[in-house]
């Protein structure tokens, strides 16, 4: 169920019977010469809507601008400062609590959002307002990702390329896959950007001149379909698991006597 398609009168039964919502969160940022800036938002929304379809839980609109200042040197990248992002997501989530939602799954497709979503979840849990958990698709099926690709790349690599080929192939510039690979970095660990245990980089461009890492030519829509099906199954299971938990068990434990 997608909230934007419903009327307020039709949602009464849902909020009376259910207490879980799915919130897709991505970014609008460069993904190299071959993928659209909306890649992360597109992926997050696809997973969230699929999970909602499979389980019947409520899916909210997508938050499509995240913490992406580290991509700011590339044309079109949009971002908000981290404190603003955290406050916005927290406010939106508290809005859901006003309607009776007491558990939320953040379906996140942007690595730059992870620590901030965890912090929002901690705030809400500490207040005992509700329980919110961050989920990232590739972490749920890491073995499959490793099996399908030799050089997955942490950003704009074959795993994201394959997913977008499956979800919205018309947005992938397939004639630029080789250029993406050759103009970027196939393996970020070869960049010598960690010196004596210290990370010497702050921005994506410090690691890769065209913004992406990995071998994009290894991507296919068929691989993307396998990724989507496997991760959607994990997300649906997570939602059902979370819904089955007693709310009191999700809240902070009392202080040790």
């Amino acid at each position: 169920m997608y909230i934007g398609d419903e009327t307020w009168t039709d949602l009464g039964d849902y909020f009376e019977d259910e207490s879980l919502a799915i919130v897709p969160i991505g970014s609008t940022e460069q993904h190299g010469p071959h993928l659209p800036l909306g890649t992360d938002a597109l992926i997050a929304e696809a997973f969230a809507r699929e999970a909602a379809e499979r389980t019947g839980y409520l899916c909210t609109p997508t938050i499509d601008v995240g913490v992406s200042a580290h991509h700011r040197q590339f044309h079109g990248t949009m971002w908000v400062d981290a404190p603003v992002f955290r406050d916005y997501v927290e406010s939106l989530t508290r809005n859901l609590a006003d309607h009776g939602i007491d558990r939320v799954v953040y379906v996140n497709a942007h690595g730059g959002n992870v620590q901030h979503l965890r912090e929002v979840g901690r705030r809400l849990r500490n207040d005992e307002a509700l329980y919110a958990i961050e989920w990232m698709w590739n972490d749920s099926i890491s073995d499959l990702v490793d099996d399908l690709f030799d050089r997955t790349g942490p950003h704009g690599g074959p795993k994201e390329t394959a997913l977008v080929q499956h979800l919205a192939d018309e947005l992938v510039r397939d004639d630029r896959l080789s250029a993406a690979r050759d103009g970027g970095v196939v393996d970020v660990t070869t960049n010598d950007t960690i010196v004596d245990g210290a990370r010497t980089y702050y921005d994506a461009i410090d690691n890769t001149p065209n913004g992406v890492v990995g071998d994009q030519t290894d991507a296919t829509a068929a691989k993307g379909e396998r990724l989507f099906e496997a991760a959607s199954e994990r997300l649906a299971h997570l939602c059902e698991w979370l819904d089955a938990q007693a709310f009191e068990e999700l809240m902070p434990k009392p202080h040790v006597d």
Side-chain angles (χ1 to χ4, degrees):
M1 177 187 295
Y2 176 65
I3 195 170
D5 292 340
E6 306 297 323
T7 69
W8 74 266
T9 55
D10 294 330
L11 285 170
D13 289 342
Y14 183 86
F15 289 122
E16 182 177 348
D17 299 334
E18 303 288 352
S19 60
L20 186 144
I22 304 169
V23 180
I25 304 177
S27 70
T28 300
E29 64 181 28
Q30 71 82 19
H31 275 75
H34 64 300
L35 289 178
L37 273 73
T39 289
D40 290 342
L42 184 158
I43 290 172
E45 182 168 333
F47 277 122
R49 283 183 177 251
E50 180 68 16
E53 180 68 24
R54 294 185 184 202
T55 63
Y57 296 124
L58 188 69
C59 177
T60 75
T62 302
I63 300 173
D64 55 8
V65 175
V67 183
S68 299
H70 51 293
H71 293 285
R72 67 188 186 280
Q73 289 90 348
F74 296 94
H75 301 314
T77 292
M78 301 183 70
W79 68 91
V80 292
D81 291 336
V84 175
F85 176 79
R86 291 192 295 266
D87 288 348
Y88 180 86
V89 174
E90 180 178 349
S91 180
L92 181 147
T93 309
R94 289 185 185 275
N95 159 210
L96 292 170
D98 283 347
H99 296 299
I101 296 298
D102 65 14
R103 59 205 74 192
V104 166
V105 178
Y106 297 132
V107 176
N108 174 45
H110 173 49
N113 294 337
V114 172
Q115 62 180 316
H116 308 293
L117 293 173
R118 291 285 298 170
E119 174 59 26
V120 170
R122 182 184 299 278
R123 291 181 190 176
L124 294 166
R125 182 172 183 258
N126 286 349
D127 287 350
E128 300 190 11
L130 53 73
Y131 183 84
I133 192 168
E134 184 266 345
W135 177 87
M136 199 160 183
W137 70 270
N138 52 289
D139 290 339
S140 74
I141 53 167
S142 55
D143 289 344
L144 177 59
V145 172
D146 290 340
D147 287 344
L148 290 179
F149 309 107
D150 291 330
R151 303 291 187 182
T152 61
H155 182 73
K159 61 186 178 183
E160 289 186 322
T161 303
L163 263 183
V164 181
Q165 285 174 328
H166 168 59
L167 296 171
D169 185 55
E170 71 279 4
L171 298 179
V172 182
R173 283 65 168 177
D174 288 313
D175 58 335
R176 301 178 187 173
L177 297 182
S178 295
R181 176 197 61 198
D182 298 341
V185 174
V186 174
D187 185 353
V188 73
T189 64
T190 65
N191 268 10
D192 297 325
T193 52
I194 298 180
V195 179
D196 294 330
R199 296 185 181 186
T200 63
Y201 59 91
Y202 283 94
D203 296 331
I205 202 168
D206 298 331
N207 282 316
T208 166
N210 73 354
V212 292
V213 179
D215 183 359
Q216 292 74 16
T217 65
D218 199 18
T220 66
K223 291 181 179 180
E225 184 176 13
R226 289 185 62 186
L227 296 173
F228 186 74
E229 175 59 31
S232 293
E233 181 179 347
R234 301 316 308 154
L235 177 57
H237 180 268
L238 172 64
C239 291
E240 290 167 347
W241 171 86
L242 182 57
D243 186 58
Q245 305 310 301
F247 181 73
E248 295 76 15
E249 294 300 316
L250 298 171
M251 292 295 99
K253 301 298 185 287
H255 194 279
V256 176
D257 292 333

